[in-house]
Amino acid sequence: MAKCTCEPAEIMLFPCAGGSNVGQLANQAAVKLDQEGTGKLFCLAGLGGHVQSIVESTKGAKRIVVIDGCPIGCAKATVEHAGFPVTDYVMVTKLDIRKKHEFTWTDEELDRVVQAVKESLES
Ligand code: SF4
């Protein structure tokens, strides 16, 4: 049986990774935060599928950070459907970034999302 490498972490990051600039920007922001050592990018699909190892690892989190691209709020709905509270919530379109079916963004837009997550974690 395949073993998951997703060990628990104090701060877990769940971006929606949706099919738009804002969804992928949410994902890229989580990648950057993880690479910087601010939290651990985690497996939203596993949580949505109620995959046991992913659910068990998520129980170890002190902060559950959700980054959604737009107000449809898919990642938040997925995390809550799995029975976990969202402790920190960032929505990319609320940061003055318009949703498009394109997969490009600026470094400044990426920094805006990363910064919004950091500010939430500081509160
Ligand atoms: S929150 Fe918006 S961008 Fe993210 S997956 Fe859902 S519809 Fe797509």
Side-chain angles (χ1 to χ4, degrees):
M1 185 165 156
K3 191 173 181 314
C4 181
T5 58
C6 296
E7 303 298 330
E10 281 205 0
I11 300 171
M12 290 186 172
L13 308 164
F14 292 98
C16 75
S20 63
N21 62 326
V22 289
Q24 291 303 308
L25 188 48
N27 194 60
Q28 196 54 44
V31 168
K32 191 167 182 195
L33 286 157
D34 186 311
Q35 288 173 332
E36 289 178 356
T38 304
K40 183 169 187 176
L41 172 56
F42 222 59
C43 307
L44 182 70
L47 204 56
H50 298 266
V51 175
Q52 198 180 353
S53 59
I54 302 293
V55 172
E56 285 305 314
S57 291
T58 304
K59 286 179 184 169
K62 291 204 171 90
R63 305 282 286 254
I64 295 180
V65 180
V66 169
I67 314 171
D68 266 324
C70 77
I72 296 174
C74 302
K76 186 170 187 280
T78 303
V79 168
E80 289 177 345
H81 182 68
F84 292 98
V86 174
T87 63
D88 299 86
Y89 190 56
V90 168
M91 189 189 298
V92 176
T93 52
K94 273 198 176 167
L95 303 173
D96 285 333
I97 300 169
R98 207 159 53 86
K99 183 178 179 181
K100 296 175 283 191
H101 191 75
E102 290 171 7
F103 302 102
T104 57
W105 49 82
T106 66
D107 288 345
E108 188 279 322
E109 287 172 331
L110 175 58
D111 283 343
R112 221 185 295 171
V113 182
V114 167
Q115 206 48 45
V117 172
K118 286 182 176 171
E119 281 168 20
S120 177
L121 287 169
E122 281 164 12
S123 63

